[in-house]
């Protein structure tokens, strides 16, 4: 097996991985990035609507500041986030956005007024300064703060970041997959990696290893995530038995995945003035949330939509009931300028024109707030020399609900922070690479491969589909104890069956069935960790909504779930740590829904 040595190994070439690599390389380290696909095809490229940073350039963002951004983030998180992390993040986001402009990102900029807003309001010419970075409205925020490049924000950011990485001499080994971390229970030494083109296994030895593998959306049946978002990095961390995953039960559903297909249409549609309509073309959100309407937090809007459909107001279709997203009134010019990706998605994948027709939508799995638990510097708990960044990490900026636009911002801010931690930790660090952990990681991978090539009984795609269906049906937007117990049992059964996988194909190189078979046991473990954590958490907070415990319970649950999975255990081991409250004590989130839940809980006694 070939061995490759480097200072820093970054697993993942999305925005978080590349930004971390750039920072570490800028401090003089040799950096290698691994990626399943060429970097520019990472899921970050699909980010549409924007990146939150308190610049206050627009008339509608006057008075914005990191303090207001902080408050929005903590309330959005339903007080589940680390407040020192949120503070660091809101202070650095304006720096990061200007740095990205300096590197070449073509932010949409303020155009001269007077201008008619989608709401019909006229913005004064004098209120906005021409040429400054513009912002649009997003859910759960007090000010217009989501900076954007039309609706191709992630595309512009990732292409720019990739250029900077190339300029700094960062090496990218794409079409490779990390299959196991090399560690001795206290330090991480790199990873065992499979070349997806020819099946060759390689050892990467690194003084620092960063997990930046993005989200796990694809373990759910309906997800806005790219097909490569299988959560492999989180699964690798869990497999060590010592690195905990934080808050895995916190899973975000986005209100507007299109039907069918579940491709996202950005929150920017509602930010720019789009409405949600039911089968009678009635705009129903103001009935539930008179103040924030369609721009309540994503968890709130998703629940209101599903509730409304359950009341019989959904539009029946061959793909199940859905609602409408209506942007027709924004007009052709606005749609073709600021929502052109949305227009393309509707035309190419649905065969409809959003200038003249409403868009069929439903809540769809979108984002993982949980991930590899790290400290404020991005150092993973449990193993020295291991770090995590971006969606794969639980830093924990988002608590139980991430605000739209805070994730892209997190990737670049956290990448900067983690890259610096890596560089700092490597100064003067001196250790040799012991043989035993390398041998044991190799053996762990090598023994999985031949088992799969014999004709086992179980078919990987069938098991994968069952796993996704269980999660969608029983661990979705609404949860309850009875269904969660069943979900855990059914997933455990699948886990046992996944030990008897057999391949129908023989290719050792670019073989999707083999890749899926290698990933499936880890994906099922993640699914169990989500369901089991959700079962134990007997309260509702942000995206985690228990019908049998509809109110938030700060006395018992102002705590973060930490899940490790010791070897040979049937279930993850859960422990809890307090959430850090440094500035804003728990209070009302300001939604009608929260008040209704408190009333129901009171009535239950
Ligand atoms: C459709 C869509 C639209 C979005 N829009 C917005 C938005 O407007 N604003 C916002 O703030 N957020 C948005 N988000 C969320 C945000 O884009 C993501 O959370 C963020 O970009 C994730 O970046 P990342 O670098 O952590 O991971 P990713 O960009 O997902 O990158 C993961 C990388 O890891 C690699 N990888 C994975 N496993 C392995 C392995 N085992 N070995 C080697 N490499 C591996 C992949 O190849 C990839 O390069 C959106 C998300 C989606 C799905």
């Amino acid at each position: 097996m070939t061995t490759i040595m480097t200072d820093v190994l970054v697993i993942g070439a999305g925005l978080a991985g590349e930004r971390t690599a750039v920072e570490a390389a800028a401090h003089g380290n040799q950096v290698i990035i691994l990626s399943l696909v060429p970097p520019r095809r990472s899921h970050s490229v699909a980010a549409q609507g924007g990146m939150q940073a308190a610049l206050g350039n627009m008339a509608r963002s006057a008075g914005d500041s990191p303090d207001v951004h902080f408050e929005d983030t903590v309330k959005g998180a339903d007080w589940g986030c680390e407040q020192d992390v949120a503070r660091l993040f809101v202070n650095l986001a304006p720096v990061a956005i200007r740095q990205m402009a300096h590197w070449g990102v073509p932010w949409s900029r303020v155009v001269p007024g007077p201008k008619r807003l989608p709401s019909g309001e006229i913005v004064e010419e004098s209120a906005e300064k021409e040429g400054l970075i513009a912002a649009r409205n997003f859910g759960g925020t007090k000010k217009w703060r989501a900076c954007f490049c039309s609706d191709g924000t992630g595309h512009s950011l990732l292409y720019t970041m990739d250029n900077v990485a190339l300029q700094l001499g960062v090496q990218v080994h794409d079409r490779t997959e990390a299959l196991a971390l090399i560690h001795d229970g206290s330090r991480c030494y790199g990873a065992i990696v499979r070349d997806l083109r020819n099946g060759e296994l390689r050892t990467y030895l690194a003084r620092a290893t960063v997990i930046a593998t993005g989200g796990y959306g694809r373990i759910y049946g309906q997800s806005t995530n790219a097909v490569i978002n299988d959560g492999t990095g989180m699964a690798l961390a869990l497999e060590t038995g010592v690195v905990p995953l934080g808050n895995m039960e916190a899973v975000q559903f986005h209100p507007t995945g299109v039907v069918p297909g579940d491709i996202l249409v950005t929150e920017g549609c509602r930010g720019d003035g789009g409405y949600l309509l039911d089968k009678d073309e009635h705009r129903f959100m103001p009935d539930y949330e008179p103040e924030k309407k369609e721009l309540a937090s994503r968890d709130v809007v998703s629940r209101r939509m599903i509730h409304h459909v359950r009341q019989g107001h959904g539009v029946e279709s061959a793909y199940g009931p859905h609602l409408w997203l209506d942007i027709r009134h924004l007009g052709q010019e606005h749609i073709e300028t600021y929502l052109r990706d949305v227009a393309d998605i509707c035309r190419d994948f649905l065969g409809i024109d959003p200038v003249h027709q409403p868009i069929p939508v439903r809540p769809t799995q979108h984002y993982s707030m949980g991930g590899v638990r790290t400290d404020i510097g991005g150092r993973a708990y449990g193993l020295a020399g291991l770090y995590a960044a971006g969606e794969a990490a639980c830093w924990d900026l988002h608590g139980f609900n991430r605000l739209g636009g805070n994730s892209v911002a997190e990737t670049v801010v956290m990448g900067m922070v983690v890259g610096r931690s890596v560089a700092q930790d490597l100064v003067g660090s001196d250790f040799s690479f012991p043989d035993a952990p390398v041998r044991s990681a190799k053996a762990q991978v090598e023994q999985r491969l031949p088992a799969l090539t014999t004709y086992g009984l179980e078919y990987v795609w069938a098991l994968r589909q069952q796993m996704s269906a269980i999660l969608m049906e029983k661990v979705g937007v609404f949860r309850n104890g009875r269904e969660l117990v069943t979900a855990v049992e059914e997933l455990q059964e699948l886990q046992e069956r996944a030990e008897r996988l057999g391949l129908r194909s023989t290719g050792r190189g670019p073989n999707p069935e083999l890749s899926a078979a290698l990933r499936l046991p880890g994906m099922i473990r993640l699914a169990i960790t989500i369901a089991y954590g959700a079962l134990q958490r007997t309260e509702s907070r942000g995206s985690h909504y228990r019908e049998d415990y509809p109110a938030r319970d700060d006395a018992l649950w102002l705590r973060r779930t930490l899940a490790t999975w010791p070897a040979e255990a049937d279930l993850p081991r859960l422990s809890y740590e307090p959430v850090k409250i440094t500035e804003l004590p728990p209070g009302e989130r300001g939604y009608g829904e929260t008040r209704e839940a408190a009333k129901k809980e009171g009535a239950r006694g």
Side-chain angles (χ1 to χ4, degrees):
M1 206 186 276
T2 313
T3 299
I4 295 169
M5 312 248 324
T6 181
D7 291 330
V8 184
L9 179 69
V10 179
I11 309 174
L15 273 172
E18 292 221 312
R19 183 64 189 85
T20 307
V22 160
E23 194 68 22
H27 283 80
N29 295 292
Q30 188 204 351
V31 185
I32 295 179
I33 307 186
L34 306 176
S35 175
L36 303 173
V37 290
R40 296 174 191 214
R41 294 194 187 169
S42 303
H43 187 60
S44 291
V45 84
Q48 298 171 358
M51 158 171 171
Q52 299 264 350
L55 301 183
N57 288 342
M58 310 280 292
R60 296 301 291 269
S61 30
D64 198 13
S65 69
D67 290 345
V68 185
H69 190 184
F70 173 85
E71 197 182 314
D72 285 345
T73 302
V74 174
K75 283 188 176 169
D78 217 351
W79 275 271
C81 68
E82 288 294 77
Q83 293 193 8
D84 56 349
V85 167
R87 172 51 70 185
L88 177 71
F89 163 77
V90 296
N91 288 350
L92 283 178
V95 178
I97 211 160
R98 292 190 171 107
Q99 186 177 45
M100 293 306 306
H102 169 72
W103 279 334
V105 170
W107 294 110
S108 292
R109 293 191 177 253
V110 174
V111 287
K115 192 169 72 206
R116 180 183 285 277
L117 298 178
S119 56
E121 194 181 334
I122 305 288
V123 176
E124 295 295 321
E125 189 164 7
S126 57
E128 297 178 336
K129 291 203 188 94
E130 185 180 347
L132 295 180
I133 295 173
R136 57 163 41 124
N137 202 4
F138 250 44
T141 62
K142 280 207 191 67
K143 303 284 178 185
W144 289 29
R145 190 188 300 123
C147 307
F148 58 98
C149 305
S150 290
D151 57 351
T153 311
H155 183 107
S156 305
L157 284 167
L158 190 59
Y159 274 57
T160 305
M161 193 65 84
D162 199 39
N163 284 343
V164 180
L166 289 173
Q167 282 163 13
L168 285 170
V170 170
Q171 285 183 50
V172 179
H173 295 190
D174 63 13
R175 281 159 286 185
T176 56
E177 175 166 354
L179 289 183
L181 294 175
I182 303 169
H183 71 98
D184 58 9
S186 57
R187 172 171 281 282
C188 181
Y189 300 103
I192 303 293
V193 175
R194 184 165 166 268
D195 186 324
L196 295 172
R197 285 165 298 191
N198 56 23
E200 183 202 342
L201 292 179
R202 290 185 221 139
T203 304
Y204 283 73
L205 292 179
R207 299 203 294 144
T209 305
V210 184
I211 295 180
T213 47
Y216 53 63
R218 285 285 154 177
I219 68 173
Y220 276 80
Q222 292 157 4
S223 173
T224 63
N225 284 197
V227 289
I228 53 168
N229 285 26
D230 285 341
T232 52
M234 296 181 207
L236 295 187
L238 200 56
E239 205 175 15
T240 62
V242 290
V243 176
L245 302 183
N247 277 349
M248 289 299 280
E249 62 271 31
V251 181
Q252 179 168 84
F253 279 68
H254 194 292
T256 58
V258 303
V259 181
D262 304 301
I263 302 171
L264 182 85
V265 284
T266 174
E267 188 158 294
C269 293
R270 284 170 288 133
D272 290 5
Y275 306 142
L276 289 169
L277 306 179
D278 64 16
K279 68 173 183 191
D280 302 315
E281 300 217 355
H282 168 64
R283 186 184 174 196
F284 58 92
M285 274 309 293
D287 302 343
Y288 296 112
E289 297 295 340
E291 205 184 311
K292 292 296 283 184
K293 306 180 182 77
E294 282 85 356
L295 289 176
S297 267
R298 285 177 181 175
D299 57 318
V300 176
V301 179
S302 293
R303 281 193 291 274
R304 295 300 197 180
M305 287 171 75
I306 292 181
H307 169 79
H308 200 64
V309 168
R310 285 181 179 175
Q311 299 300 306
H313 302 296
V315 184
E316 289 308 325
S317 83
Y319 311 97
H322 65 75
L323 293 157
W324 300 114
L325 171 65
D326 191 3
I327 57 171
R328 290 174 290 190
H329 52 290
L330 303 185
Q332 177 143 13
E333 192 191 333
H334 183 95
I335 293 174
E336 301 290 357
T337 311
Y338 295 114
L339 298 169
R340 57 189 186 224
D341 250 25
V342 169
D344 283 347
I345 288 167
C346 290
R347 288 171 190 148
D348 295 346
F349 294 95
L350 301 176
I352 63 166
D353 184 349
V355 174
H356 303 293
Q357 289 162 288
I359 310 167
V361 293
R362 70 177 163 214
T364 303
Q365 193 286 341
H366 181 61
Y367 186 81
S368 31
M369 273 77 73
V372 179
R373 178 72 185 122
T374 73
D375 68 10
I376 192 168
R379 298 172 185 89
Y381 284 19
L383 284 181
L386 184 67
Y387 305 76
E391 193 170 339
C394 177
W395 191 23
D396 170 2
L397 170 66
H398 310 299
F400 277 76
N401 175 64
R402 165 178 78 83
L403 288 188
N406 260 1
S407 173
V408 161
E410 180 192 35
T411 61
V412 286
V413 170
M414 191 180 183
M416 188 194 306
V417 170
V418 180
R420 271 181 212 164
S421 299
V422 167
Q424 262 169 21
D425 295 352
L426 287 185
V427 174
S429 97
D430 194 19
F431 58 85
S432 53
F433 293 97
D435 279 346
V438 180
R439 272 202 310 273
S440 110
K442 272 186 195 166
Q444 185 193 328
V445 170
E446 278 169 343
Q447 79 190 22
R448 277 155 65 190
L449 281 165
L452 289 170
T453 48
T454 53
Y455 199 78
L457 286 175
E458 299 290 355
Y459 185 40
V460 60
W461 301 115
L463 262 54
R464 197 179 148 129
Q465 203 179 3
Q466 286 172 36
M467 168 189 70
S468 303
I470 296 168
L471 287 177
M472 282 308 297
E473 282 162 24
K474 305 188 174 89
V475 201
V477 171
F478 288 102
R479 303 162 173 189
N480 64 62
R482 188 175 34 80
E483 286 185 348
L484 288 170
V485 168
T486 320
V488 172
E489 285 169 5
E490 289 175 355
L491 288 166
Q492 280 185 296
E493 219 171 276
L494 286 186
Q495 187 186 21
E496 202 233 317
R497 287 172 60 194
E499 285 168 19
R500 299 190 296 277
L501 288 178
L503 298 185
R504 308 300 195 253
S505 53
T506 53
R508 281 318 203 82
N511 177 352
E513 190 192 15
L514 176 56
S515 295
L518 286 168
R519 287 175 202 168
L520 186 69
M523 292 170 80
I524 298 177
R525 268 196 292 274
L526 290 185
I528 295 176
T529 308
I530 293 169
Y532 190 58
L535 174 62
Q536 303 306 321
R537 187 172 282 273
T538 49
E539 66 155 355
S540 293
R541 187 180 294 274
S543 64
H544 170 70
Y545 190 88
R546 287 281 301 256
E547 289 167 306
D548 42 354
Y549 295 94
R552 200 177 78 198
D553 182 351
D554 290 329
L556 257 185
W557 287 109
L558 201 53
R559 302 188 291 167
R560 181 173 303 105
T561 309
L562 297 179
T564 50
W565 199 306
E568 312 302 332
D570 292 337
L571 282 171
R573 184 172 298 154
L574 303 188
S575 59
Y576 295 92
E577 66 174 0
V579 171
K580 210 172 281 162
I581 309 284
T582 52
E583 299 181 44
L584 194 64
E588 252 279 350
R589 261 177 119 193
Y591 295 118
E593 188 201 49
T594 330
R595 290 187 279 273
E596 287 158 28
K599 248 192 245 161
K600 257 195 233 166
E601 191 83 349
R604 261 166 35 111

